[in-house]
Amino acid sequence: MIWMFSQHYQHYLDLFEPYLEQAFPEQARSWGGNVTTAARYSLLSGGKRIRPVLVLATVACLGSDPELALPYAAALEMIHTYSLVHDDLPCMDDDDLRRGRPTCHKQFGEALAVLAGDALLNRAFEVMLDDMTTGCQNKIEAARIIARAAGSSGMIAGQTLDLEAEGQLIPPEKLERLHQLKTGQLILAPVLAACALADASVPVTSLFQSFAANLGLAFQIQDDILDVTASESRLGKSTGKDQRDQKSTYVTLFGLDTAQAYLKEATRQAKEALGAVAGLGYDTTFLEDLADYLLLRDH
Ligand code: GRG
């Protein structure tokens, strides 16, 4: 069956959302009462679900059943949500609005928001470990990729560099490094975890690595652009903060036009890597359309 991009995206969401809902169930209230309510408030409040869609779509592109990747897709979304909950705290980026709703700490208080983030992070690993079976080397590798990407040599390192860079203009190489870690690792991990789950060969994995690294860069540049061009209601989060907080971004360092040129170039390179994957006989149509969707996204 030939699907339009939006139908195809929706198909992945239809697979993913019910799985995610039961992966952090309401019944878990008996584990810790309000922390479950706070975690579910943030986890099930929308969001584009790009990281889960990337895992499912890459696994499908490689000829495996996307359902096999659901625990890893859910884990990535839980880790991503925890990072947003903690990033929004007053001691970090101090934000009131996320996914069009009050941030977790605005709704439940700071202490519960810290615990909700912790609970999401721990549950992510529990969901992946629950999926382990005897002789499941590929699943272990996928979980390892996700753990490393989220950890102190991945996203947490990026967040630390970001905190340290506050109030100063940093050199472009440092900005790139910061973003490779803070945003890029959680875009790279879904694709590399999918390659592990689908047992992709080393050359194919290396092409997907190039695709995802460029996609992550494009995603971040667009995030910087949207901070100055998008409306708060469309974006569902505060805008204009980068300028206000004197943050180094692709826009504050290079200006809007150059940032847009970098965005197009990163997207072109992402699609070039996919072109090489397609040349090996894989159907990369959805992933190419996803790169274009991220290039043109307005939220
Ligand atoms: C607290 C350890 C820790 C890390 C925080 C996520 C993060 C690292 C910071 C958020 C600030 C930020 C603007 C990051 C850049 C890109 C990004 C991760 C945007 C949000 O992701 P989307 O657009 O959000 O996928 P949705 O809501 O659609 O899931």
Side-chain angles (χ1 to χ4, degrees):
M1 175 157 117
I2 297 181
W3 271 328
M4 303 276 292
F5 172 70
S6 56
Q7 281 176 305
H8 208 153
Y9 201 106
Q10 189 57 47
H11 164 73
Y12 289 127
L13 293 182
D14 291 346
L15 264 183
F16 177 68
E17 292 295 340
Y19 185 89
L20 185 68
E21 207 278 331
Q22 60 77 43
F24 208 124
E26 180 60 23
Q27 298 86 290
R29 276 185 63 77
S30 59
W31 306 338
N34 285 341
V35 77
T36 299
T37 309
R40 280 173 56 92
Y41 170 85
S42 292
L43 186 66
L44 306 175
S45 62
K48 295 178 288 299
R49 310 304 201 197
I50 283 163
R51 296 151 191 84
V53 168
L54 264 175
V55 192
L56 303 182
T58 305
V59 163
C61 172
L62 287 163
S64 293
D65 182 354
E67 291 202 27
L68 130 97
L70 281 169
Y72 307 86
L76 278 155
E77 190 61 27
M78 286 178 197
I79 293 169
H80 168 58
T81 305
Y82 119 76
S83 82
L84 297 177
V85 170
H86 281 190
D87 187 64
D88 289 335
L89 287 167
C91 63
M92 294 241 188
D93 217 29
D94 191 10
D95 231 311
D96 294 352
L97 188 66
R98 174 67 67 184
R99 293 174 168 172
R101 302 209 284 179
T103 46
C104 194
H105 68 273
K106 279 281 154 193
Q107 192 72 11
F108 297 96
E110 280 178 43
L112 212 56
V114 169
L115 292 173
D118 295 342
L120 285 163
L121 179 59
N122 279 282
R123 183 74 187 135
F125 289 95
E126 213 179 328
V127 167
M128 290 190 288
L129 286 167
D130 282 348
D131 189 50
M132 299 296 160
T133 43
T134 316
C136 61
Q137 212 45 47
N138 293 347
K139 292 177 174 181
I140 293 173
E141 184 53 21
R144 193 197 328 270
I145 287 166
I146 293 169
R148 198 177 299 133
S152 54
S153 59
M155 179 179 70
I156 290 176
Q159 180 75 349
T160 310
L161 291 179
D162 197 36
L163 287 176
E164 287 169 2
E166 237 167 59
Q168 41 171 313
L169 288 182
I170 56 174
E173 321 78 72
K174 205 165 173 192
L175 181 71
E176 195 172 332
R177 182 79 193 122
L178 189 163
H179 288 321
Q180 269 169 359
L181 293 166
K182 190 179 89 166
T183 310
Q185 285 292 318
L186 271 209
I187 300 286
L188 191 57
V191 173
L192 293 184
C195 287
L197 289 170
D199 210 13
S201 67
V202 172
V204 168
T205 302
S206 143
L207 289 172
F208 271 110
Q209 160 125 21
S210 167
F211 157 66
N214 281 295
L215 193 76
L217 179 61
F219 188 75
Q220 178 60 53
I221 298 172
Q222 183 64 302
D223 204 71
D224 292 350
I225 292 174
L226 290 174
D227 186 69
V228 292
T229 60
S231 72
E232 231 165 68
S233 59
R234 186 75 193 107
L235 209 54
K237 62 179 181 177
S238 319
T239 54
K241 289 192 74 199
D242 295 339
Q243 211 101 33
R244 192 201 70 194
D245 298 343
Q246 294 181 290
K247 278 206 155 180
S248 292
T249 72
Y250 281 89
V251 176
T252 58
L253 282 197
F254 304 108
L256 195 52
D257 288 348
T258 306
Q260 263 152 354
Y262 282 157
L263 167 64
K264 283 204 182 111
E265 177 54 18
T267 306
R268 190 194 66 73
Q269 288 191 31
K271 288 172 74 176
E272 188 174 87
L274 281 182
V277 175
L280 296 171
Y282 297 97
D283 182 358
T284 55
T285 314
F286 177 78
L287 291 172
E288 280 174 52
D289 290 347
L290 185 65
D292 283 331
Y293 159 73
L294 294 184
L295 173 75
L296 299 171
R297 76 189 166 102
D298 62 358
H299 66 290

